Amino acid sequence: MANAQMVHAQIHLTLPAWVHDAVDTARTYPGDEAKVALAIDLSRRNIEAHSGGPFGAVVFGAGDRIIAIGVNRVRPQACSLAHAEAMAYMLAQQRTQRPRLNRTDDDKPCGPITLASSAQPCCQCYGATMWAGIDRLLIGARSEDVEALTEFDEGPLPADWIGELEKRGITVVRDLHREQARAVLARYGELGGVPY
């Protein structure tokens, strides 16, 4: 098979088409509440469109501008890594060409970088958050809300998970629009949503 062409392995993950019309990426989102409200709106739209699980996340850069958005795409993409936070991180890293979003190639700070998430990151997304180069993490629903209202298993976190992030320079703000985030999770559960 000397003449056979080598096919390189690729991974191709996509956001649903509705995302591009639903979000004005040129707009600014001042304040923590506005940022989390957008993430929750994405989670709601994702279940309404039947395009994934009830989770949304947005990476914001300087000036309260969107760098990237993500929604849960695990089932449609057949990829257990395609959580909303991970999708947002990967797209932000691709857009900025920086594996650590808040550091330049010569290791100079270029933040602040904020992740707004409709729900507390699971164990997978918690780990990704430590390495993605995030300065602030804004959270809607808590993991106990996710587990009580859906069939999702959020996995284990360190007992002092917030302290561990703060030791790494990541500020955590929880319970922003928590009831609205819980309502999306409850709706997903009522619709008979399946985990992941």
Side-chain angles (χ1 to χ4, degrees):
M1 295 196 43
N3 292 341
Q5 278 190 315
M6 174 81 121
V7 177
H8 296 283
Q10 293 184 29
I11 297 172
H12 184 76
L13 299 173
T14 61
L15 292 177
W18 62 260
V19 166
H20 307 291
D21 294 326
V23 178
D24 179 1
T25 56
R27 182 182 150 197
T28 60
Y29 292 82
D32 295 348
E33 289 81 9
K35 292 175 178 67
V36 172
L38 176 59
I40 294 168
D41 184 55
L42 290 168
S43 69
R44 180 187 54 77
R45 289 175 183 261
N46 205 37
I47 64 170
E48 288 174 355
H50 306 288
S51 52
F55 304 100
V58 187
V59 176
F60 292 92
D64 299 318
R65 295 206 178 270
I66 294 172
I67 297 174
I69 62 176
V71 292
N72 179 284
R73 298 287 286 158
V74 169
R75 289 253 180 216
Q77 302 283 279
C79 178
S80 65
L81 301 175
H83 290 198
E85 298 93 335
M87 295 292 289
Y89 289 151
M90 288 186 287
L91 289 165
Q93 290 160 339
Q94 183 180 58
R95 176 166 286 153
T96 63
Q97 290 297 293
R98 295 191 309 263
R100 290 194 56 83
L101 295 167
N102 61 359
R103 307 298 289 184
T104 62
D105 285 342
D106 54 352
D107 203 34
K108 293 189 172 118
C110 61
I113 303 295
T114 299
L115 178 80
S117 182
S118 63
Q120 178 180 318
C122 68
C123 61
Q124 169 186 279
C125 296
Y126 173 79
T129 296
M130 288 200 301
W131 308 128
I134 300 300
D135 299 298
R136 302 184 74 237
L137 172 61
L138 311 176
I139 300 169
R142 293 184 178 206
S143 64
E144 54 261 36
D145 300 329
V146 174
E147 291 184 348
L149 298 168
T150 70
E151 296 295 320
F152 291 98
D153 175 359
E154 295 297 274
L157 291 177
D160 184 20
W161 64 272
I162 293 174
E164 290 297 327
L165 290 176
E166 289 178 345
K167 275 197 262 184
R168 290 165 171 81
I170 303 168
T171 300
V172 177
V173 181
R174 298 196 301 169
D175 300 336
L176 296 163
H177 298 297
R178 183 177 180 188
E179 289 310 310
Q180 292 92 325
R182 284 176 51 85
V184 174
L185 295 168
R187 180 70 181 136
Y188 182 77
E190 290 164 6
L191 293 171
V194 292
Y196 292 75

